[in-house]
Amino acid sequence: MQNVNGGLAPVLERIDENLADSLVRVFELVRIPSISTDPAYAGDCRKAAEWLVAQLDLLGFDASLRDTPGHPMVVAHHDGPSPDAPHVLFYGHYDVQPVDPLDEWESDPFDPKVKDGPDGSKIITGRGTADDKGQLMTFVEACRAWKEVYGELPCRVTILFEGEEESGSPSLKPFLRANAEELKADFALVCDTGMWDADTPAISTGLRGLVGEEVTVEAADRDLHSGYFGGAAANPIHILARALADLHDENGAVTIPHFYDGVEETPADVLKQWESLGLTAEKFLGEVGLSIPSGEKGRSVLELTWARPTAEVNGVVGGYTGEGFKTVIPAKASAKVSFRLVGKQDPEAIRRNFRDFVRARIPADCKVSFEEHGGSPGIQLPYDSPVLQKAKQALSDEWPNPAVMIGMGGSIPVVGDFQDLLGMDSVLVGFGLADDRIHSPNEKYALKSYHKGQRSWARIMAALAAR
Amino acid sequence: MQNVNGGLAPVLERIDENLADSLVRVFELVRIPSISTDPAYAGDCRKAAEWLVAQLDLLGFDASLRDTPGHPMVVAHHDGPSPDAPHVLFYGHYDVQPVDPLDEWESDPFDPKVKDGPDGSKIITGRGTADDKGQLMTFVEACRAWKEVYGELPCRVTILFEGEEESGSPSLKPFLRANAEELKADFALVCDTGMWDADTPAISTGLRGLVGEEVTVEAADRDLHSGYFGGAAANPIHILARALADLHDENGAVTIPHFYDGVEETPADVLKQWESLGLTAEKFLGEVGLSIPSGEKGRSVLELTWARPTAEVNGVVGGYTGEGFKTVIPAKASAKVSFRLVGKQDPEAIRRNFRDFVRARIPADCKVSFEEHGGSPGIQLPYDSPVLQKAKQALSDEWPNPAVMIGMGGSIPVVGDFQDLLGMDSVLVGFGLADDRIHSPNEKYALKSYHKGQRSWARIMAALAAR
């Protein structure tokens, strides 16, 4: 670093001073309903991307909006203090999940507010506050503070924000391939994960992959009256229910042939470390009103959610679902099914075997069709990388408790893509909390996460820059 | 009959002359979207009832609209030629099924039209044309012709039109109980059934009963992210799919304990008669794009749909069902399930046993709730009643082929209610055809059914009046 002899302290002070203004900025972004999965909101996705380009431009980045066949990418570059300074690629996503059921939101999902949380601490409410708009803004605000104090950044920074993370990232791989030279950095910083708890930052070193499938069973060529045809005509809901029920055996294991190929048992010492975190099933599930682990028997909830694969039905619909009753045998029924993958499970083999599994349960006079909704393998990052260790120390300096290395149940396909297409490892740091209700009504982000998240990134940038 | 010495012929001629005008009238009724199952259409249900009262009033009936806790009843009385003339209660329903999926209709369901059908014959299109507005109007128009020709009707007629048949008839029993003296007649004429084929009229002597149930499974107290919680948190779609799949065994039989209590095997001679009708599975199911009977193995499609009970899932919904994909574990999932009953199956026992069956499949930390949607036992009418025989002859005189006595897969709870509450048998005569698409998009009614249906009722009234 050249002109940053004052060190980190003024940058952290500037972040504290900027907090109120930084809230105004993230509110502007949250107000844009950039729901990527619903074509009706395509214009809003573009608007969110344009807003980010404008923000980064103001900060002195060379920022641009890049069209894709789907929602646009935002790419921005900023020099470091020297051409050989470390070069990071920061990744986040500006798209958000749908908001239904809307009537369960306590306030408008796209009118963010600062409120008092249940424990008295401040929270920021709104769709995308935690996943991922609030998170990505922690990094932007850290850059702002560095720029305002020193006129430069401590390392070379490339930023990539995508707008299709919540809809399977169809444009991401082609975009990374087409722009590999421009986007390649020493490593990636990915901010789409959570803390261990409100006082304990975490770096996620294992992530489950994801395969999404939509299956539609069709029987008769029209909806039928169940009086006339009931007992003789195939009911696609029955056929689908049977296939979905068959996905799991009585011990909660997935029954698709070869499903567990490539799944390794978690090492005993890792399991022991996780056990020491003290998260019981009662505590983990109790927060959402449950108490009994539903997955494979004989495994802890952390193992089930961090290190075991799943088959999960995310949506099902068929027949009459409105008010009252309609005695119909519907023409079709469909389900959205996803698989969380670990280890070396092959997404395309899982997809193929799932489809065969379902096809084997379709009567000869009925039809089944499948639609693909993305696929990515699980990821396991090296525990011992120096970059991970620097980030861990920086986080430990900021928060009350030292940072922990954890697994992660969710999938962040971009991490695999960065590895495969750009040859880069990723450092996964985020400030979400377990009760953020991401993907659910009343999503929130702790104000403390937003504030100390900015300070954390300022520290991490400094730590990475130090040789 | 006093002043009807000209006999039946002038009445039938008048029906022929009135046909165009009678179409105008039924179109007016079909244009009223009287969907009883959806509260948004309550006003239209009332409007349909008012329209019928006005029509019957013009015909010289003492007609009135009767309020109920749900949609109103229409009751109308007309004297016969003498106080001791036979007294019939004619029943129909003016409410209709919902129209979704709307985009599958070739023309507006509530803008009826006369079109050319696939075989070149004329059809009347629109929701309710066959079920049951077109059908009930065949009787009204027969009365009109009698009145116009002779100034009187050949028998005493009471008319009862209800507006809740498609939503479980919640007001019917209380109304029959409260008005038993007014409504009781020698027997009922119920027009909500079909022909055997386009040339062969039918009298339905057996009807399946119906039990409707809505089941909702609830797991976590909110929608969950399947990354964070997948593999550990209960998924209500899985639980529901398991319960629904378990309803049938691998031979298509229903597995609920005691489900078949009260079900008797159909006598061999009746099965033989049905077999002689020549309706193969390929023919019956081929009309709707299927070929393989899905119910209990080893039984004909006529036995399956006329004489065997069923469990049928009419609707299912849970989780994310919109465009794209959402990796959610939903808080709840629900299904609408109906049972067709025969013989002496007890609707309330079936309901109770179904609920127990589902409850046994709900994990201890999840919840299940049920909503009742009507229940009625199956009906078997006496084959040898003189009234049935008179009606059979009248129908055989009108149509190319003689009338046949058939079973019926659908439920018409009012028939049971007339037996239980008014001590009346019912004669079930209707002119619907198997391809009328009732309850489905593109419902139609054959113009020939509408025309010869009117003529059939004119004949039946004359036959019943003859001592």
Side-chain angles (χ1 to χ4, degrees), chain B residues 320-379:
Chain B
Y320 183 68
T321 61
E323 283 272 329
F325 212 88
K326 189 172 169 183
T327 50
V328 66
I329 301 177
K332 64 182 177 183
S334 63
K336 297 178 201 273
V337 182
S338 65
F339 303 92
R340 298 278 168 186
L341 310 189
V342 302
K344 301 196 188 313
Q345 280 180 301
D346 174 355
E348 293 316 311
I350 298 282
R351 189 190 307 285
R352 210 164 46 237
N353 293 337
F354 166 69
R355 292 182 177 190
D356 288 347
F357 179 91
V358 174
R359 283 193 194 102
R361 285 157 176 81
I362 307 297
D365 59 345
C366 297
K367 281 176 289 191
V368 64
S369 58
F370 299 90
E371 189 181 341
E372 173 176 339
H373 288 281
S376 63
I379 297 281

Side-chain angles (χ1 to χ4, degrees), chain A residues 37 39 97-98 100-101 166 194 208 210 212-214 219-235 237-238 241-242 244-245 248 284-285 287-295 301 304-305 310-329 336-338 340 364-366 373 409-410 437-440, chain B residues 37 39 97-98 100-101 166 194 208 210 212-214 219-235 237-238 241-242 244-245 248 284-285 287-295 301 304-305 310-329 336-338 340 364-366 373 409-410 437-440:
Chain A
T37 196
Q97 282 273 324
D100 58 291
E166 303 293 5
R208 291 197 290 190
L210 183 66
E213 281 279 287
E214 188 158 355
D221 59 15
R222 69 197 73 160
D223 286 357
L224 304 177
H225 186 293
S226 77
Y228 277 125
F229 286 98
N235 183 328
I237 302 179
H238 297 187
R242 163 62 56 202
L244 298 179
H248 297 89
F284 180 71
L285 294 173
E287 290 190 11
V288 297
L290 295 171
S291 58
I292 307 168
S294 73
V301 288
L304 286 171
T305 56
T310 68
E312 203 80 56
V313 186
N314 303 114
V316 65
V317 67
Y320 184 69
T321 61
E323 283 273 328
F325 212 88
K326 188 172 168 181
T327 51
V328 65
I329 301 177
K336 297 179 201 274
V337 182
S338 65
R340 300 280 168 184
D365 59 345
C366 297
H373 287 281
R437 296 174 178 257
I438 68 170
H439 294 209
S440 297
Chain B
T37 195
Q97 282 274 323
D100 58 291
E166 303 293 5
R208 292 195 291 191
L210 182 67
E213 281 279 287
E214 188 158 357
D221 58 14
R222 71 198 72 162
D223 285 357
L224 304 177
H225 186 294
S226 77
Y228 278 124
F229 286 98
N235 183 328
I237 302 180
H238 298 188
R242 163 62 55 202
L244 298 179
H248 296 89
F284 180 72
L285 293 172
E287 290 190 11
V288 297
L290 295 172
S291 59
I292 307 167
S294 74
V301 287
L304 286 171
T305 55
T310 68
E312 203 81 55
V313 186
N314 304 114
V316 65
V317 66
Y320 183 68
T321 61
E323 283 272 329
F325 212 88
K326 189 172 169 183
T327 50
V328 66
I329 301 177
K336 297 178 201 273
V337 182
S338 65
R340 298 278 168 186
D365 59 345
C366 297
H373 288 281
R437 296 173 177 259
I438 67 169
H439 295 209
S440 297

